[in-house]
C-alpha cells in the first residue's frame, strides 16, 4: 500500500520554517527593541527638538511675512482704494456741478423765460425740452433733469412742458428757490404725500448769477445709482458706507441703514471725537470695535457747494483679511504636517541609531537588559566594561604570578618524559599558550650538576643540598638572562638543574652556549666553591 504524503510534508515543513523565523525575530526584537531606556528617550527628544526648531522658525517667519506684513499691506491697500474711489466720486459730483452751472448761465435760461407764454411760443418750449433731455443723457447718475419756473402759474419741465396745479407741490419747489445759495445740494422730498422718500438733488437758480431768481434747474439723482456709487467704497458684501453733510442736512447711505442706527451713530461720534483731538491733521483711517466685529474705517471730506460732505466707509476687518486668515491657517497646517513628518522620521531615525546600542546591550548584558528602561544604557555598558576590565586585570595579575609555576611544572613533565606521547605540534601549541616564542627556533637543554659539597674547600656540609641547589639556580638564572632571550631553569633539588634555551635558528647557538657554560662554571666555582658539570 502506497501513501502520497509529499504535499502535507512540504506544507508542514514550510509552516515550521516560518514559525521558527517568526520566533527568532521576536526574540531578536524583544532583546533590544523592548528595552529602550533613558538614552533612547533623550536621543529621541533631542532629534525631535532639532528637527522641529527649523520648522518653527520657518513657520514663524512665513507667518510674519505672509501674516502680519500681508495683513498690514491689505489694510493699507484697502485704505488707498477707498481714497481713490472717493476721489472718483468727488470728480463725478464736481462734473455734475460744473455742467449744471454751465447750463444755468446759458442764454436759453435767461430772463426771457420769466412770464413767457410757452403755449404761444411752443418752439421755445420744445427747445428747452430738448436741452433738458441732452442734460439728462449726459450723465448716467441723473434720473431726471427738471426746470421749474415760479409765478402765478408755475411751470415744470420734466423734461416735457407741464403745469403745476397743486399748491403743495409748487410750494415744495418754491422753497428750493427761496434759499440764499444760488447753487447747492439737497436731499428733497418732491412728493408731499411721501415726505420720507427723499432724493439727492443738485439745484441751481436761474438765471445764473441773478439776485432775484424766478426758477431753478434741478438734477435729481438716481437713488439706486447713487447707492451703487457709494458701494464702490465698500468692495465687500458687508459693511457700511454713507455720505453726511457736516451741517447734518444731508445723508445718503449705500444700504438701507437709517441715519440714527447705532453703528452709524457710533461711527459718527468716533470721527467727531477724533477730529476734535486732531484738528490740524485728521486721521483718515482707524480700526473700530463694534459688537463682536472690528471694522476698518476710512473717512474723508468732500468740498461741495457751500458745505462740506463727510464720507465714511466701514468694512469688517475679517472681510479684508480673509485671504490672510486662509494663508495663516494653511501655514499652520503645513507647519504642523511638517512637524508631524519630522516626528515620524525622527522616531524611525532614532530607532535606527539606537539599534546598534540595543544589540550591544543585549549581547553584553542579556540578563540586565530590562534595567535599561530605568537607567542610561551607556552607564550600564560602562559599568559592565569596568567590571570586565577589573576582572581582566585580576586575571592578568594572577596569570603573571602563576605562569612561572605553570612553566616550571610543564618543564618538569617534559624533562622527566611524562609528555612523551604528545606530538611536537601539540607541545609547541602548549608552549605558545605559556607565552613562549617557538616559531623558527631551536631548543637546547643543558643539564647542570654540582659536586664537591663535602670537600674541605667547600663552604657547605652534607645536608645543605637544597640550599646549594637554590643558590646555584639563582646564579644560573641571572647569567642565562644576560646571555639569552628565552631561558627557563628547573631546580631538581638534588644539586642538579635543567636549563631550557630557545634561540632563533639564525643565531650561532652552540658557540654562545659554550661560552655561557664556561662562564657559569667559573662563577659557581668562585662563589660556591663547588665543581660544576654542564652537559647539552
Amino acid at each position: 500500500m502506497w501513501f502520497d504524503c509529499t504535499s502535507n510534508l512540504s506544507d508542514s515543513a514550510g509552516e515550521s520554517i516560518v514559525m521558527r523565523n517568526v520566533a527568532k525575530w521576536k526574540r531578536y526584537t524583544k532583546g533590544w527593541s523592548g528595552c529602550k531606556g533613558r538614552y533612547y528617550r533623550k536621543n529621541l527628544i533631542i532629534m525631535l527638538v532639532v528637527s522641529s526648531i527649523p520648522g518653527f522658525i520657518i513657520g514663524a517667519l512665513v507667518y510674519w511675512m505672509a501674516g502680519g506684513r500681508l495683513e498690514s499691506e491689505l489694510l493699507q491697500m484697502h485704505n488707498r482704494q477707498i481714497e481713490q474711489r472717493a476721489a472718483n466720486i468727488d470728480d463725478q459730483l464736481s462734473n455734475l456741478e460744473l455742467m449744471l452751472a454751465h447750463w444755468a448761465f446759458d442764454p436759453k435760461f435767461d430772463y426771457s423765460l420769466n412770464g413767457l407764454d410757452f403755449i404761444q411760443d411752443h418752439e421755445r418750449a420744445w427747445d428747452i425740452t430738448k436741452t433738458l433731455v441732452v442734460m439728462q443723457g449726459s450723465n448716467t447718475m441723473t434720473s431726471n433733469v427738471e426746470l421749474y419756473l415760479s409765478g402765478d402759474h408755475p411751470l415744470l419741465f420734466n423734461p416735457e412742458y407741464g403745469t403745476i396745479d397743486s399748491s403743495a407741490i409748487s410750494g415744495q419747489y418754491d422753497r428750493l428757490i427761496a434759499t440764499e445759495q444760488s447753487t447747492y445740494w439737497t436731499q428733497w422730498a418732491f412728493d408731499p404725500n411721501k415726505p420720507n422718500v427723499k432724493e439727492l438733488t443738485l439745484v441751481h437758480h436761474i438765471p445764473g448769477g441773478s439776485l432775484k431768481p424766478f426758477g431753478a434747474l434741478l438734477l435729481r439723482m438716481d437713488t439706486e445709482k447713487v447707492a451703487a456709487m457709494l458701494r464702490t467704497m465698500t468692495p465687500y458684501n458687508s459693511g457700511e458706507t454713507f455720505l453726511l453733510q457736516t451741517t447734518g442736512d444731508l445723508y445718503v447711505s449705500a444700504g438701507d441703514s437709517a441715519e440714527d442706527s447705532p453703528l452709524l451713530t457710533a461711527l459718527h461720534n468716533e470721527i467727531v471725537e477724533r477730529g476734535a483731538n486732531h484738528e490740524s491733521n485728521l486721521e483718515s483711517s482707524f480700526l473700530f470695535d463694534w459688537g463682536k466685529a472690528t471694522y476698518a474705517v476710512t473717512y474723508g471730506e468732500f468740498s461741495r457747494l457751500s458745505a462740506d460732505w463727510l464720507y465714511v466707509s466701514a468694512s469688517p476687518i475679517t472681510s479684508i483679511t480673509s485671504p490672510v486668515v486662509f494663508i495663516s491657517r494653511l501655514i499652520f497646517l503645513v507647519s504642523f504636517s511638517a512637524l508631524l513628518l519630522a516626528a515620524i522620521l525622527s522616531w524611525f531615525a532614532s530607532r535606527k541609531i539606537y539599534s546598534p546600542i540595543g544589540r550591544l546591550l543585549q549581547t553584553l548584558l542579556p540578563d540586565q537588559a530590562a534595567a535599561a528602561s530605568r537607567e542610561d544604557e551607556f552607564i550600564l555598558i560602562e559599568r559592565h566594561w569596568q567590571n570586565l576590565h577589573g576582572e581582566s586585570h585580576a586575571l592578568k595579575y594572577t596569570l603573571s604570578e602563576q605562569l612561572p609555576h605553570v612553566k616550571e611544572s610543564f618543564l618538569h613533565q617534559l624533562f622527566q618524559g611524562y609528555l612523551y606521547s604528545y606530538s611536537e605540534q601539540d607541545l609547541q601549541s602548549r608552549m605558545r599558550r605559556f607565552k613562549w616564542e617557538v616559531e623558527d627556533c631551536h631548543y637546547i637543554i643543558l643539564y647542570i650538576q654540582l659536586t664537591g659539597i663535602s670537600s674541605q674547600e667547600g663552604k657547605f656540609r652534607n645536608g645543605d643540598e637544597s640550599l646549594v641547589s637554590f643558590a646555584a639556580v639563582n646564579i644560573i638564572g641571572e647569567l642565562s638572562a644576560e646571555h639569552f632571550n628565552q631561558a627557563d631553569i628547573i631546580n631538581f633539588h638534588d644539586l642538579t638543574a635543567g636549563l631550557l634555551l630557545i634561540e632563533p635558528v639564525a643565531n650561532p647557538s652552540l658557540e654562545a652556549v659554550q661560552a655561557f657554560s664556561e662562564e657559569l662554571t667559573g662563577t659557581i666555582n668562585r662563589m660556591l666553591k663547588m665543581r660544576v658539570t654542564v652537559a647539552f
Side-chain angles (χ1 to χ4, degrees):
M1 182 179 293
W2 296 89
F3 296 93
D4 187 3
C5 60
T6 304
S7 177
N8 295 332
L9 180 62
S10 61
D11 292 343
S12 59
E15 183 178 357
S16 62
I17 293 173
V18 172
M19 294 301 295
R20 286 198 299 270
N21 291 333
V22 171
K24 289 180 180 179
W25 173 252
K26 287 183 177 179
R27 289 196 300 270
Y28 175 74
T29 55
K30 182 179 180 181
W32 63 270
S33 298
C35 60
K36 298 177 178 61
R38 293 183 180 178
Y39 174 78
Y40 174 79
R41 292 192 293 269
K42 290 189 291 185
N43 187 34
L44 179 59
I45 292 172
I46 291 173
M47 293 191 66
L48 286 174
V49 171
V50 171
S51 60
S52 62
I53 285 176
F56 279 123
I57 293 176
I58 294 173
L61 290 176
V62 172
Y63 178 74
W64 175 75
M65 290 185 295
R69 288 291 301 274
L70 184 57
E71 181 177 348
S72 177
E73 290 294 331
L74 283 175
L75 289 174
Q76 293 180 7
M77 183 175 66
H78 169 75
N79 294 332
R80 289 193 297 267
Q81 287 180 349
I82 298 303
E83 293 173 357
Q84 292 174 359
R85 294 175 184 182
N88 184 33
I89 294 174
D90 187 24
D91 291 339
Q92 293 186 48
L93 296 178
S94 298
N95 290 333
L96 289 174
E97 294 169 354
L98 183 61
M99 180 190 70
L100 188 60
H102 171 75
W103 287 107
F105 285 91
D106 192 272
K108 292 184 178 64
F109 305 105
D110 57 8
Y111 286 101
S112 61
L113 295 179
N114 190 12
L116 181 64
D117 186 2
F118 288 96
I119 297 176
Q120 296 294 328
D121 196 355
H122 60 86
E123 291 183 359
R124 185 72 179 272
W126 175 242
D127 186 37
I128 291 175
T129 299
K130 290 192 295 183
T131 302
L132 296 179
V133 170
V134 172
M135 292 173 61
Q136 182 174 323
S138 62
N139 193 290
T140 58
M141 298 289 295
T142 58
S143 63
N144 202 1
V145 178
E146 297 179 346
L147 172 64
Y148 173 73
L149 299 176
S150 64
D152 296 335
H153 303 283
L155 300 177
L156 180 64
F157 287 84
N158 186 22
E160 294 84 3
Y161 169 80
T163 59
I164 299 178
D165 298 329
S166 174
S167 60
I169 295 177
S170 63
Q172 291 283 77
Y173 284 94
D174 286 337
R175 284 195 293 271
L176 295 176
I177 302 175
T179 59
E180 295 180 359
Q181 297 85 8
S182 61
T183 177
Y184 58 92
W185 288 90
T186 185
Q187 197 171 19
W188 200 257
F190 292 93
D191 189 351
N193 298 323
K194 298 178 181 179
N196 295 326
V197 180
K198 297 181 180 181
E199 299 179 19
L200 182 63
T201 304
L202 178 59
V203 180
H204 200 298
H205 296 170
I206 61 169
S210 174
L211 297 178
K212 295 181 179 181
F214 58 87
L217 280 173
L218 291 82
L219 288 182
R220 295 171 61 175
M221 309 296 292
D222 190 329
T223 303
E224 294 296 330
K225 293 184 178 179
V226 171
M229 178 182 67
L230 293 180
R231 279 195 292 270
T232 60
M233 290 196 296
T234 306
Y236 309 102
N237 296 327
S238 58
E240 293 289 347
T241 302
F242 60 92
L243 289 174
L244 183 67
Q245 198 170 24
T246 54
T247 59
D249 298 333
L250 183 146
Y251 166 78
V252 181
S253 174
D256 297 331
S257 301
E259 184 178 1
D260 57 351
S261 66
L263 176 58
L264 269 60
T265 302
L267 286 172
H268 186 236
N269 294 336
E270 180 69 18
I271 292 171
V272 171
E273 182 180 353
R274 287 175 176 270
N277 296 332
H278 304 82
E279 293 181 358
S280 60
N281 185 17
L282 293 178
E283 295 182 2
S284 61
S285 62
F286 60 92
L287 296 178
F288 181 71
D289 293 327
W290 176 258
K292 297 182 180 180
T294 300
Y295 290 85
V297 181
T298 304
Y299 66 95
E301 290 186 352
F302 292 147
S303 295
R304 297 270 63 83
L305 299 171
S306 304
D308 292 329
W309 290 9
L310 177 70
Y311 69 87
V312 180
S313 173
S315 301
I317 195 171
T318 54
S319 299
I320 302 173
T321 60
S322 56
V324 179
V325 173
F326 172 75
I327 293 175
S328 301
R329 291 177 179 174
L330 182 61
I331 291 172
F332 278 118
L333 179 61
V334 172
S335 300
F336 179 77
S337 301
L339 180 60
L340 182 61
L341 180 61
I344 296 174
L345 294 178
S346 299
W347 180 70
F348 278 110
S350 63
R351 289 177 62 89
K352 190 67 176 179
I353 294 173
Y354 182 79
S355 60
I357 301 171
R359 290 196 297 269
L360 179 62
L361 186 65
Q362 181 65 23
T363 302
L364 295 178
L365 301 169
D367 298 332
Q368 302 181 20
S373 60
R374 301 182 298 272
E375 194 171 359
D376 191 287
E377 293 88 330
F378 280 103
I379 294 178
L380 290 175
I381 294 174
E382 181 182 2
R383 187 185 303 158
H384 183 68
W385 181 85
Q386 289 176 350
N387 293 336
L388 292 178
H389 187 65
E391 293 177 0
S392 175
H393 275 285
L395 290 174
K396 286 183 180 180
Y397 178 76
T398 303
L399 179 61
S400 64
E401 286 186 340
Q402 298 298 325
L403 187 60
H405 302 290
V406 175
K407 283 185 174 183
E408 184 176 357
S409 176
F410 173 77
L411 291 178
H412 268 292
Q413 297 179 20
L414 181 65
F415 288 169
Q416 293 177 5
Y418 295 116
L419 303 178
Y420 179 78
S421 60
Y422 287 87
S423 65
E424 182 179 355
Q425 290 78 12
D426 294 336
L427 293 175
Q428 286 183 348
S429 176
R430 295 186 63 180
M431 292 178 71
R432 290 191 192 95
R433 290 198 297 270
F434 296 147
K435 306 303 179 182
W436 273 305
E437 295 180 5
V438 296
E439 298 295 334
D440 297 329
C441 294
H442 60 264
Y443 311 94
I444 302 173
I445 298 177
L446 278 68
Y447 181 77
I448 304 168
Q449 184 176 13
L450 279 69
T451 57
I453 189 173
S454 61
S455 64
Q456 296 181 355
E457 298 178 355
K459 299 180 179 180
F460 305 98
R461 296 292 180 264
N462 291 329
D464 294 337
E465 286 82 1
S466 298
L467 179 61
V468 174
S469 297
F470 179 76
V473 166
N474 288 337
I475 294 172
I476 295 170
E478 293 178 359
L479 288 178
S480 61
E482 294 177 359
H483 289 78
F484 305 101
N485 293 327
Q486 297 187 83
D488 294 276
I489 187 169
I490 300 299
N491 187 0
F492 295 116
H493 303 284
D494 58 354
L495 298 180
T496 60
L499 180 64
L500 174 63
L501 302 177
I502 302 177
E503 287 292 308
V505 176
N507 290 347
S509 300
L510 295 179
E511 291 79 1
V513 172
Q514 183 70 33
F516 167 73
S517 299
E518 294 176 357
E519 183 179 355
L520 176 63
T521 302
T523 301
I524 293 178
N525 288 335
R526 184 177 63 256
M527 297 181 65
L528 300 181
K529 305 300 182 180
M530 299 283 291
R531 291 187 293 273
V532 181
T533 302
V534 180
F536 62 91

